[in-house]
Amino acid sequence: MELIRRGQSLINTFCHALVLKNVPVVDNSLMQVRNYAARRGTRMKADKKKVKVEVKKIGFIPHSLRKEKRASSGKLESKRLKEEWKHLTTDNVYIGKYHPWRIYSFEEAVQCHRETHHPTVFNRPNAPLQVFMELDMRTHKPTKFVEKFTRTALVPHGFNHGVERSILVFCKSKEEREAAENAGATLVGGVEIIKDIEKGRVVLPDFNVILAHTDILPDMIGIRGLLKKRFPNPKTGTLGSDMNELVTKFKNGVTYSCFRDEREVDYGSLEMMIGTLNMETQKLRDNFQELINDVMTMAPPNTTHPFITRVVLKSPHSTERLKLDLSPHLSQDGELASSSDEEEDDPKVRVKYV
């Protein structure tokens, strides 16, 4: 106790000495601490100044596909063929790397492939003839692009494309049923088939194509929910009145898919077979024209750029890829892109647009 008293005495003496020297003594227990926050308007202005960076997530890329061609700037190169910087040739001997591709008519390209597959060369006179096509997937909106699609080109001249299709046909009259069966339909019926589908006796996924006559369409309303996008309609060509012609077209038709590049979202491409080299040239041309017409139905409206940017004709096992002139195959009402003013009079300039 004595020590405590001495300690308090020393403290009082020390405080008294400070008071005599006019030194203020501050009691921390009596002080108030305030944390002032920024005004709401100040915080909002600061948030607006912050730039949000959108990070695009890239899915898993296989090891074999990770090596991409890169330009000198480090960015990925475009898959499009850019020939604006290349010079036109003055003769028929040139280095293909520094000059634009030669443009062939359809007949010339077919003849070139026939010479390559002659019995004295590859010895494959019945080799398949394939078309590779590049598309510009842009629309009239800068942030919207054409989605990938799968269609069946109803080629007028059939050939062995290696795909067997099962076709389901709905029609009422006896004559139309016989015509569909003779054309190669897998299953043909009327109201009785509709009832079997409702009861689960007929499995719809077993059929690749579903066709219908116009007179039975009102009876099919009950199974519209089961057919969904496969419900026959004139837009897809699965609804008509001539069943023989309808079944024949879908039996001989060639299915193709257009894919859109994940990194270059405005770049689309497709590939399909239009016939074999031993077919007549005119028949191959008709099939090619039907493919062009079918692809152009997917072109976005109100656009100034061409939808089809390049078409290449090839035939395995040859590595030759011949670029085609599209001007005879497209209508002249704006479907084919027009060149710039200074290049308008030069016919060789269409290299950039076909």
Side-chain angles (χ1 to χ4, degrees):
M1 293 296 292
E2 186 65 25
L3 291 175
I4 295 175
R5 288 175 183 176
R6 290 182 179 180
Q8 290 178 350
S9 176
L10 290 174
I11 291 173
N12 293 335
T13 303
F14 179 72
C15 292
H16 182 67
L18 292 176
V19 171
L20 292 176
K21 292 183 178 182
N22 296 326
V23 178
V25 180
V26 180
D27 189 356
N28 292 333
S29 63
L30 300 178
M31 292 185 63
Q32 295 182 357
V33 180
R34 297 181 182 272
N35 295 323
Y36 293 96
R39 292 183 180 180
R40 184 178 180 184
T42 305
R43 294 197 303 269
M44 292 178 66
K45 289 180 182 179
D47 292 340
K48 288 182 179 179
K49 291 181 180 179
K50 295 179 180 178
V51 180
K52 295 182 179 180
V53 180
E54 183 180 355
V55 180
K56 293 184 178 180
K57 295 183 179 179
I58 301 177
F60 175 75
I61 302 175
H63 182 74
S64 58
L65 302 178
R66 290 181 185 179
K67 292 183 180 180
E68 297 284 352
K69 292 183 179 180
R70 296 180 179 272
S72 58
S73 61
K75 297 181 180 179
L76 291 174
E77 286 186 351
S78 174
K79 291 186 176 181
R80 298 188 185 280
L81 178 66
K82 296 183 179 180
E83 298 183 323
E84 292 85 354
W85 61 275
K86 297 182 178 181
H87 303 285
L88 297 176
T89 60
T90 57
D91 52 28
N92 58 357
V93 180
Y94 57 91
I95 301 176
K97 182 178 179 180
Y98 303 106
H99 297 278
W101 285 24
R102 178 184 170 184
I103 308 301
Y104 294 84
S105 65
F106 183 83
E107 291 77 10
E108 291 175 346
V110 171
Q111 184 60 31
C112 289
H113 282 302
R114 283 175 177 165
E115 293 175 0
T116 307
H117 292 77
H118 191 267
T120 58
V121 190
F122 281 112
N123 194 18
R124 291 194 64 192
N126 59 342
L129 192 63
Q130 298 176 348
V131 171
F132 175 79
M133 190 177 297
E134 291 182 352
L135 306 178
D136 192 338
M137 310 294 275
R138 292 177 296 169
T139 63
H140 63 284
K141 295 183 179 180
T143 58
K144 188 176 181 181
F145 303 91
V146 179
E147 295 295 333
K148 60 182 181 179
F149 55 87
T150 300
R151 291 179 59 84
T152 300
L154 310 180
V155 292
H157 306 288
F159 57 93
N160 184 17
H161 46 69
V163 179
E164 293 293 333
R165 295 190 181 94
S166 55
I167 302 176
L168 173 61
V169 179
F170 295 93
C171 54
K172 285 185 176 181
S173 65
K174 183 179 179 181
E175 294 78 8
E176 295 296 340
R177 292 188 182 185
E178 292 179 354
E181 290 176 353
N182 295 333
T186 307
L187 179 61
V188 183
V191 181
E192 68 278 4
I193 299 295
I194 298 175
K195 293 180 179 179
D196 290 341
I197 293 175
E198 293 176 340
K199 295 179 181 179
R201 297 173 184 171
V202 176
V203 183
L204 293 175
D206 292 343
F207 300 95
N208 304 113
V209 183
I210 298 177
L211 308 176
H213 195 278
T214 52
D215 59 359
I216 200 175
L217 196 62
D219 299 327
M220 298 178 60
I221 300 299
I223 60 173
R224 189 184 186 99
L226 298 175
L227 297 178
K228 297 180 181 179
K229 293 183 179 181
R230 303 177 69 190
F231 192 82
N233 63 84
K235 186 175 181 180
T236 57
T238 53
L239 181 67
S241 56
D242 190 348
M243 302 312 298
N244 185 11
E245 180 182 358
L246 203 62
V247 174
T248 302
K249 284 185 176 181
F250 275 92
K251 195 76 175 176
N252 299 332
V254 181
T255 302
Y256 66 94
S257 298
C258 172
F259 299 98
R260 200 178 74 185
D261 190 72
E262 294 183 358
R263 296 175 177 84
E264 194 175 0
V265 292
D266 64 336
Y267 177 84
S269 62
L270 61 91
E271 187 173 347
M272 70 167 290
M273 182 178 172
I274 61 172
T276 55
L277 290 176
N278 57 355
M279 294 175 61
E280 296 181 9
T281 304
Q282 186 58 41
K283 291 183 178 180
L284 293 172
R285 183 185 176 90
D286 293 342
N287 289 353
F288 176 68
Q289 184 64 55
E290 188 61 35
L291 169 63
I292 295 293
N293 298 339
D294 191 80
V295 173
M296 289 305 298
T297 59
M298 302 301 297
N302 305 325
T303 54
T304 57
H305 57 81
F307 184 55
I308 302 176
T309 57
R310 184 164 67 119
V311 176
V312 173
L313 198 66
K314 58 183 184 177
S315 180
H317 293 285
S318 173
T319 58
E320 265 192 319
R321 302 170 72 218
L322 306 179
K323 195 175 180 181
L324 298 182
D325 180 14
L326 273 182
S327 54
H329 303 277
L330 292 176
S331 60
Q332 301 299 323
D333 55 354
E335 299 292 349
L336 187 65
S338 59
S339 57
S340 59
D341 296 337
E342 58 187 25
E343 299 173 338
E344 211 166 24
D345 298 328
D346 192 352
K348 294 183 180 180
V349 133
R350 61 186 172 193
V351 161
K352 302 193 311 185
Y353 301 98
V354 295

